[in-house]
Amino acid sequence: MKKNIFKTALIVAFTIAISTSCSDKFTEVEPSYAIDSENYFNSEQDYKNALISAYDMLQPSYINVMLGEIASDNTVSGGESANDTPGIQQIDNMNHGPVNANLKNLWDWMFAGVQRCNYILEFKDKTDFTGKNQIIAETRFLRAYYHFELVKFFGPIPLKGDKRFNVDDEKSYPRASVNEVYAEMESDLLFAIDNLSVNAPQVGRASKGAAQALLGKIYLYQNKFSQSAAVLDQLILSNHYSLVSNYNSIFENSNENNSESVFEVQYIDTQGADFGCLQCSEGNVAVGFNGIRNYSGPFFDGGYGFNLPTQEAYNAFEVGDSRKNVAVLDIAAWVLANPTASYGMGYKHTGYYNRKYLARQGDSNIGDQNLTNPNNYRSIRYADVLLMAAEAFNRTGNDAKAQIYLNLVRQRAFGDNNHNISVTGTALTDAILKERRVELMGEGHRFFDLVRTGKAASTITGFTINKNEIFPIPIQEIQFASGNWEQNPGY
């Protein structure tokens, strides 16, 4: 089971960490430490507490997942009305700009994660103890994770090496190029691979396999297909992970952190939260946002009705694909099968919900029920690894191996070998991208897959080439930089 990662020490961690609501400036995400931060890191426990703090900023990455779906052709915004959470509505309509609260949150929260990692790395040599390399390796994995989220959303971002950003640094530090950011991520992950164990020391912490998978992904995003194929193949051939036989079970709370889980963001439902500090929630906020509006009935809890799958997305599944009704809930069909159930219709109602991340009944949901759901986010699944490897091998000309890895995923989906793919070349590339869509629907990857493969403009309504590949830097950050940073093109 999950949920025990560092939780007993979490309160301690908050004495050296801060919510990002205290300031609008990314350089002021720096904690107001309850202790003198320069005189910390005097013991192994100090490093562990700081690492807990660094992990904690994974939890507000729920917004990244939602926006990765809503910006794509998979889902529409939903909500109560066209004025409900305007930032999400704008992204769905592809008319978002530098004034967008949801993008500002994403920027702040991911940079808070970077800051917490850099705090540890700034003092990595202060105190020695057995096992410190494990902590440093996890820290560098986490920094790569946060940097990846930032670079895929915003493009060039500032870097300061193993130092925390200070107030007004944005006036002197330029935004590093995308290549420079990727180079730092590669360095961090290569160190992590060399120093992390195959088995993580606790559920929810990073393992060698998680670092290999993330490195393979960032190679793929850079079109470094040979490197991606090599590191992902090494992970696959380790035989440490396997596909769960029942696709339906993957997304139930009772089967989290299973054999298919390469890395999951851990959530619990026993610590309250409210809208005053969404990033403070230890629960998966996206689950409540995704929830069925005004729902009454069995199995599910209700929610706000955002992030609604489209009819076209529902139709993307082939006949006989067992994933269809696991990924997407047809609410009319559900009510027909469960006559005691009822629901309401909100804005852009499609009749479908993101079933993977809907609230289930029986959770504690301390505080606001819609903000404290315990559903883990399956950030990297083994199926994703297989499909990334398939694409990498296909792009390097090894279609035979690409077919093997693609068809492992399809055999689980259809329960037979009759649906195996045998095409080659660009037809195989397209088949892999289609498979990624249906296998990973609702998990936040679709927009970025479309962008990196050059298919976004022909797929996403309102998408403008040379603009919408990335999102605008929040206007506050441009203003704070006093001319040192330029806004992304088109914004």
Side-chain angles (χ1 to χ4, degrees):
M1 288 292 288
K2 58 158 185 173
K3 316 301 188 196
N4 61 349
I5 174 180
F6 304 144
K7 293 305 177 186
T8 56
L10 192 55
I11 301 303
V12 177
F14 275 112
T15 67
I16 62 165
I18 187 176
S19 88
T20 60
S21 62
C22 299
S23 172
D24 283 334
K25 297 180 69 172
F26 94 93
T27 53
E28 291 181 359
V29 170
E30 175 62 26
S32 301
Y33 295 100
I35 54 176
D36 182 351
S37 63
E38 306 303 313
N39 293 317
Y40 199 61
F41 296 112
N42 298 311
S43 68
E44 178 180 359
Q45 191 60 50
D46 287 348
Y47 284 88
K48 288 182 176 179
N49 289 343
L51 181 62
I52 296 165
S53 172
Y55 270 99
D56 202 55
M57 291 314 297
L58 292 171
Q59 291 170 332
S61 66
Y62 74 85
I63 190 62
N64 311 30
V65 182
M66 289 184 64
L67 297 186
E69 291 293 297
I70 292 168
S72 79
D73 57 339
N74 273 356
T75 68
V76 295
S77 53
E80 182 179 26
S81 69
N83 297 317
D84 191 355
T85 315
I88 288 177
Q89 306 297 341
Q90 292 164 10
I91 289 169
D92 184 28
N93 295 328
M94 281 288 136
N95 61 5
H96 49 276
V99 180
N100 186 295
N102 300 103
L103 291 174
K104 182 65 168 71
N105 285 340
L106 195 156
W107 173 280
D108 286 346
W109 298 341
M110 294 303 97
F111 261 115
V114 172
Q115 283 285 80
R116 294 181 185 193
C117 292
N118 282 350
Y119 179 43
I120 298 171
L121 296 173
E122 186 173 339
F123 294 96
K124 63 182 181 298
D125 298 322
K126 184 176 182 184
T127 303
D128 287 327
F129 54 89
T130 301
K132 188 170 76 170
N133 264 1
Q134 168 79 28
I135 290 177
I136 301 304
E138 289 181 66
T139 302
R140 293 185 69 171
F141 168 84
L142 289 171
R143 183 169 68 175
Y145 191 103
Y146 294 128
H147 274 151
F148 182 55
E149 292 301 308
L150 286 163
V151 78
K152 72 182 186 182
F153 272 95
F154 299 107
I157 57 172
L159 298 176
K160 200 180 177 182
D162 292 348
K163 297 284 186 181
R164 291 165 292 170
F165 283 99
N166 297 313
V167 174
D168 291 331
D169 273 352
E170 70 276 9
K171 293 180 174 65
S172 56
Y173 279 85
R175 292 169 64 195
S177 70
V178 169
N179 287 340
E180 289 171 322
V181 180
Y182 273 117
E184 181 162 292
M185 285 191 283
E186 289 177 14
S187 176
D188 280 344
L189 291 170
L190 288 168
F191 181 91
I193 289 168
D194 287 341
N195 290 276
L196 289 177
S197 302
V198 172
N199 296 305
Q202 283 177 282
V203 171
R205 291 171 68 176
S207 65
K208 179 177 181 176
Q212 289 172 310
L214 185 54
L215 180 60
K217 177 170 280 193
I218 70 169
Y219 281 148
L220 195 66
Y221 271 60
Q222 299 174 84
N223 295 335
K224 294 182 176 180
F225 299 121
S226 296
Q227 296 97 315
S228 180
V231 69
L232 294 172
D233 203 40
Q234 185 180 38
L235 173 57
I236 292 166
L237 295 177
S238 72
N239 294 317
H240 189 70
Y241 302 96
S242 61
L243 295 176
V244 172
S245 59
N246 181 1
Y247 186 82
N248 182 55
S249 70
I250 298 172
F251 303 98
E252 298 305 321
N253 293 345
S254 60
N255 198 30
E256 292 172 332
N257 302 302
N258 53 54
S259 65
E260 189 167 334
S261 171
V262 181
F263 189 68
E264 292 191 15
V265 177
Q266 309 292 308
Y267 290 104
I268 58 173
D269 58 349
T270 55
Q271 185 172 328
D274 58 47
F275 278 94
C277 185
L278 287 175
Q279 72 273 26
C280 300
S281 178
E282 299 297 319
N284 190 340
V285 173
V287 171
F289 271 77
N290 292 342
I292 308 167
R293 288 193 67 82
N294 302 321
Y295 178 75
S296 175
F299 195 72
F300 299 110
D301 279 330
Y304 299 125
F306 284 90
N307 197 19
L308 304 174
T310 66
Q311 183 70 55
E312 189 273 333
Y314 187 69
N315 293 343
F317 293 88
E318 300 169 49
V319 175
D321 191 335
S322 65
R323 297 169 296 192
K324 182 173 186 175
N325 293 321
V326 176
V328 182
L329 175 68
D330 180 335
I331 188 61
W334 175 263
V335 170
L336 186 64
N338 297 274
T340 61
S342 61
Y343 65 97
M345 295 185 187
Y347 184 57
K348 293 187 178 181
H349 178 74
T350 64
Y352 300 109
Y353 286 89
N354 179 357
R355 192 184 189 280
K356 291 177 180 177
Y357 292 107
L358 288 182
R360 272 59 166 170
Q361 292 180 359
D363 302 328
S364 297
N365 303 127
I366 301 299
D368 188 320
Q369 172 182 302
N370 291 316
L371 304 182
T372 56
N373 285 282
N375 312 52
N376 280 4
Y377 171 53
R378 285 71 165 171
S379 177
I380 308 176
R381 292 197 286 116
Y382 185 56
D384 188 7
V385 171
L386 288 170
L387 293 175
M388 288 191 292
E391 181 179 345
F393 278 111
N394 163 243
R395 299 294 191 105
T396 56
N398 191 342
D399 287 346
K401 196 153 193 176
Q403 290 169 0
I404 290 171
Y405 289 153
L406 169 62
N407 287 327
L408 284 174
V409 176
R410 288 181 63 80
Q411 287 159 15
R412 196 252 306 262
F414 291 95
D416 58 40
N417 298 329
N418 299 330
H419 295 81
N420 284 1
I421 297 292
S422 58
V423 297
T424 59
T426 56
L428 179 57
T429 309
D430 291 340
I432 293 167
L433 182 61
K434 179 180 178 181
E435 198 68 26
R436 286 187 61 79
R437 183 186 194 185
V438 293
E439 173 67 31
L440 302 171
M441 188 168 289
E443 299 180 49
H445 306 293
R446 176 66 172 172
F447 175 79
F448 305 102
D449 278 345
L450 290 172
V451 167
R452 67 179 180 80
T453 57
K455 296 182 181 296
S458 62
T459 306
I460 300 172
T461 301
F463 187 96
T464 300
I465 296 174
N466 297 325
K467 174 184 177 182
N468 293 135
E469 290 84 357
I470 52 178
F471 295 83
I473 303 297
I475 187 62
Q476 298 95 326
E477 310 303 329
I478 298 296
Q479 292 169 341
F480 293 144
S482 299
N484 188 40
W485 297 352
E486 292 185 1
Q487 183 55 271
N488 285 332
Y491 295 105

